[in-house]
Amino acid sequence: MSDPVMLRVETISKRFGGLLAVDGASFDAQAGRITALIGPNGAGKTTLFSIISGFQPPTSGRVLFEGENIVGVPPHRLAQRGIARTFQIVQPFAGLTVRENIAVGAHLSQPRRADALAAADEIAARVGLADQLDKPAAGLTVAGRKRLELARALALKPRLLLLDEVLAGLNPSEVRDMVPVIRGLVDQGITVIMIEHIMHAVMNLAQHVLVLSEGRIIAGGTPSEIAGNPHVVEAYLGRGAAQRMLQAGAAYG
Amino acid sequence: MKGVGTILVVAALLAAVPLFGVSNVTLNFLVTALIIALAGQGWNVLGGYGGQYSFGHAAFFGTGAYVSAILQLRYGVNAWIAFAAGIGAGALAGAIIGGLSFRSGLRGSYFALVTLAFAEVLRILASVTPITGAGVGLLVKLDLRPEAFQFQSRVPFYWIILALVTVSLLIVRAIENSRFGAYLVAVRENEEAAKALGVNVIAVKLGAMVISAAIVAAAGGFYVQYFLFIDAGIAYGPWISIEALLAPIIGGVGTVFGPLLGALVVKVLGEAAKLVTGDAPGLDLMIYGGVLVLVIALAPRGIAGVVADLRARIVRRKPEAKPEQPTAGHHV
């Protein structure tokens, strides 16, 4: 834990009417690592991402990005400051081509149209979309749309990247293709926080795993610590999950 | 720059029309069509590229027209300067109406209704306020000198409105090829995704509204110089709001040439209706309604969309047409 803290979430709560979606959640995300956020459906993971990325204000608590409180900063300002996110439910610019989609993100650092389009080509190659650049985004497969979400976020040249289930809906071979792409992000100096349900990918990619349940962080540690924590596993991932995860992790490592 | 050449060629061809000795009736038809093309291009910036459908662009047409007329009549300002001031006033009206609606988060039909309400309020105010001539309207004094933006012949008017339309085409082409344009289209396609990619959605919409309003105000200011008369019903009436959105929708929303194509079609249809039925009031509106339904049902991307589809089909067929020369297709 010697790496500097890039993002500190401090006792964040979010109430929707009678529902406490996030209940005093606190955690740190270290720079230059992949932190995974796991937990059952409805635990508040996506809500937490929405708060960090400025799309929703928390009811209480603070979010510190590189030491500065960013609660209340609008999403486009956070994107300009280096926080990028993908959406769990993909949000392509459906009427635009893949290249034009990615170029919107690239425009953050490239004021000229031609430069942004050229940057889009280069990013598409990094995520495996190079042969689909002229396709309308509406014509992409699920896997293609997930890649597009990632590509657009990368075009912002972020320092912190929030990935919301970029592997969900992909078949096993597509997941195998995506895992090295995500691992490569860290080599490019990007800090990643990922929400993910596909456990073998989490075990493979993340250096730190946080477990969110009913809006609270109930455990945090290395993948093997989490996998070996029978309380977490039995309570939140289902009976027998610990065994499956260890096997999956071994198979991939 | 790509596309600019086409715009200049089209402008040059249209500019040559009066050299062939066309009648005053034809020229008058073309001038009114180009006024609608200009207003339609203004609407297209916000509606076509930004996806914000306004039903009240009369607010800007009327403001451009009235500010220009009032400055000339009541304050003796030179007509050209008054015209420019009218464009500025239209832009300001766009900033105010846009600021109020976008900051309140109005979208879709709510935005459309609010713009309609603004235009109607302005129409009612203009029909009772003395400075706008109330119910009587304003007559600009006849002063047939180029310095006064008035001409004996219709030809200079035609060239001026054509120049204004050409400038609007170039503006829209420049927007298409800019970061602002990319952000504007992103806002149209998906606001949430745009925000996540660093786009200040409100600022982009507001910028589009100001440009849009300024172009429409120019159409209003020109209208006053051409007809030398304005009243509340013309300036702020629903007719111009409707024609300004009809032209781009029929011609092709979010395309450079859509509003120009659409304006010509709309005006031809209007004239045809008059010829067939005499001058039954409101008939042109019924025809517009019918055409609008047909276009939205059959060709939602307008004439420009149909042309693009046809061209794509022809290009795809070419290689099949000459199976004995398989390389021919590569040179297309």
Side-chain angles (χ1 to χ4, degrees):
Chain A
M1 296 283 162
S2 55
D3 291 323
V5 173
M6 173 154 274
L7 187 85
R8 170 163 288 167
V9 171
E10 275 185 4
T11 58
I12 285 287
S13 293
K14 178 69 184 179
R15 182 178 284 284
F16 296 107
L19 174 76
L20 197 55
V22 181
D23 181 8
S26 297
F27 68 85
D28 286 351
Q30 253 79 33
R33 293 179 168 219
I34 298 179
T35 303
L37 194 56
I38 64 171
N41 287 325
K45 303 183 297 292
T46 295
T47 306
L48 205 47
F49 263 25
S50 285
I51 292 167
I52 296 170
S53 55
F55 277 79
Q56 286 179 358
T59 309
S60 64
R62 299 199 304 167
V63 179
L64 303 176
F65 177 58
E66 294 174 333
E68 250 181 273
N69 188 8
I70 54 167
V71 166
V73 180
H76 69 270
R77 298 284 311 156
L78 291 178
Q80 290 161 10
R81 279 167 68 167
I83 301 180
R85 71 169 293 185
T86 67
F87 291 91
Q88 181 186 5
I89 300 160
V90 293
Q91 307 280 354
F93 302 123
L96 307 186
T97 65
V98 167
R99 180 185 282 115
E100 289 166 341
N101 264 267
I102 304 172
V104 174
H107 265 307
L108 186 63
S109 54
Q110 306 286 354
R112 289 187 55 240
R113 188 81 186 126
D115 296 341
L117 291 170
D121 285 19
E122 186 238 316
I123 291 155
R126 263 160 63 191
V127 302
L129 278 173
D131 50 348
Q132 322 229 38
L133 277 163
D134 294 312
K135 227 187 207 181
L140 291 177
T141 60
V142 173
R145 288 173 195 212
K146 297 277 184 180
R147 283 173 193 270
L148 181 57
E149 281 283 321
L150 180 60
R152 282 195 319 201
L154 285 179
L156 296 169
K157 298 185 181 166
R159 281 174 294 138
L160 174 65
L161 180 56
L162 308 173
L163 299 177
D164 196 348
E165 297 201 31
V166 284
L167 301 176
L170 304 191
N171 67 36
S173 90
E174 289 164 345
V175 171
R176 266 196 298 278
D177 291 344
M178 265 307 243
V179 164
V181 174
I182 296 171
R183 187 178 287 131
L185 300 177
V186 179
D187 302 332
Q188 294 154 31
I190 300 170
T191 303
V192 177
I193 306 179
M194 60 189 296
I195 294 175
E196 203 43 78
H197 281 299
I198 299 179
M199 279 311 141
H200 64 74
V202 170
M203 294 301 142
N204 245 285
L205 284 168
Q207 282 93 43
H208 194 73
V209 180
L210 299 158
V211 185
L212 194 68
S213 176
E214 292 173 0
R216 282 189 298 271
I217 303 281
I218 60 155
T222 63
S224 53
E225 280 165 15
I226 294 296
N229 181 333
H231 179 68
V232 170
V233 172
E234 298 303 323
Y236 299 104
L237 301 178
R239 204 164 285 275
Q243 203 60 34
R244 286 205 302 277
M245 280 192 311
L246 285 174
Q247 282 165 356
Y252 263 85
Chain B
M1 204 165 88
K2 215 177 78 188
V4 169
T6 319
I7 293 171
L8 295 179
V9 168
V10 169
L13 289 174
L14 286 172
V17 168
L19 306 179
F20 297 98
V22 293
S23 69
N24 259 346
V25 176
T26 310
L27 220 45
N28 189 45
F29 167 81
L30 287 173
V31 169
T32 48
L34 288 176
I35 291 174
I36 298 309
L38 186 60
Q41 191 64 281
W43 186 94
N44 191 36
V45 170
L46 183 70
Y49 289 91
Q52 312 300 310
Y53 277 37
S54 154
F55 283 5
H57 261 42
F60 314 124
F61 184 87
T63 300
Y66 268 127
V67 167
S68 174
I70 290 167
L71 286 178
Q72 291 177 62
L73 279 170
R74 310 238 191 261
Y75 300 96
V77 175
N78 173 276
W80 291 97
I81 295 168
F83 173 70
I87 295 174
L92 183 65
I96 293 168
I97 295 176
L100 290 170
S101 348
F102 297 138
R103 283 196 184 283
S104 322
L106 295 175
R107 292 198 220 176
S109 34
Y110 294 98
F111 174 70
L113 286 174
V114 161
T115 52
L116 179 63
F118 271 112
E120 280 297 284
V121 167
L122 287 170
R123 185 181 65 78
I124 292 163
L125 285 177
S127 66
V128 295
T129 314
I131 196 167
T132 54
V136 184
L138 295 175
L139 265 170
V140 176
K141 266 182 249 125
L142 196 65
D143 181 7
L144 294 173
R145 293 176 303 138
E147 306 92 277
F149 200 155
Q150 291 184 27
F151 307 93
Q152 201 89 49
S153 148
R154 290 183 199 278
V155 175
F157 276 117
Y158 171 76
W159 280 330
I160 289 169
I161 187 68
L162 180 61
L164 290 170
V165 168
T166 306
V167 168
S168 77
L169 290 168
L170 292 170
I171 289 173
V172 168
R173 178 61 204 146
I175 289 173
E176 266 192 351
N177 204 30
S178 71
R179 167 155 72 181
F180 171 72
Y183 280 0
L184 187 58
V185 170
V187 166
R188 174 188 75 199
E189 294 289 321
N190 191 323
E191 281 193 21
E192 295 303 294
K195 280 183 203 166
L197 295 178
V199 178
N200 184 344
V201 170
I202 290 180
V204 167
K205 283 184 186 174
L206 204 54
M209 184 76 150
V210 168
I211 296 168
S212 174
I215 295 172
V216 177
F222 179 88
Y223 185 99
V224 165
Q225 294 313 123
Y226 188 66
F227 291 103
L228 297 179
F229 175 73
I230 196 81
D231 70 10
I234 296 169
Y236 290 124
W239 76 278
I240 185 66
S241 295
I242 291 171
E243 293 192 14
L245 69 87
L246 213 53
I249 289 175
I250 289 175
V253 279
T255 63
V256 172
F257 285 104
L260 178 58
L261 280 171
L264 291 168
V265 170
V266 166
K267 281 291 155 193
V268 166
L269 284 172
E271 291 301 312
K274 274 183 203 163
L275 279 179
V276 173
T277 65
D279 213 345
L283 194 85
D284 53 342
L285 287 177
M286 282 178 63
I287 295 203
Y288 293 163
V291 170
L292 192 59
V293 169
L294 283 177
V295 167
I296 290 171
L298 302 175
R301 286 157 62 225
I303 298 169
V306 172
V307 170
D309 289 348
L310 282 177
R311 190 184 290 169
R313 201 173 297 173
I314 290 164
V315 169
R316 237 180 294 137
R317 262 189 208 163
K318 272 260 170 75
E320 295 166 58
K322 293 179 181 175
E324 71 280 4
Q325 288 168 295
T327 50
H330 295 291
H331 299 291
V332 174

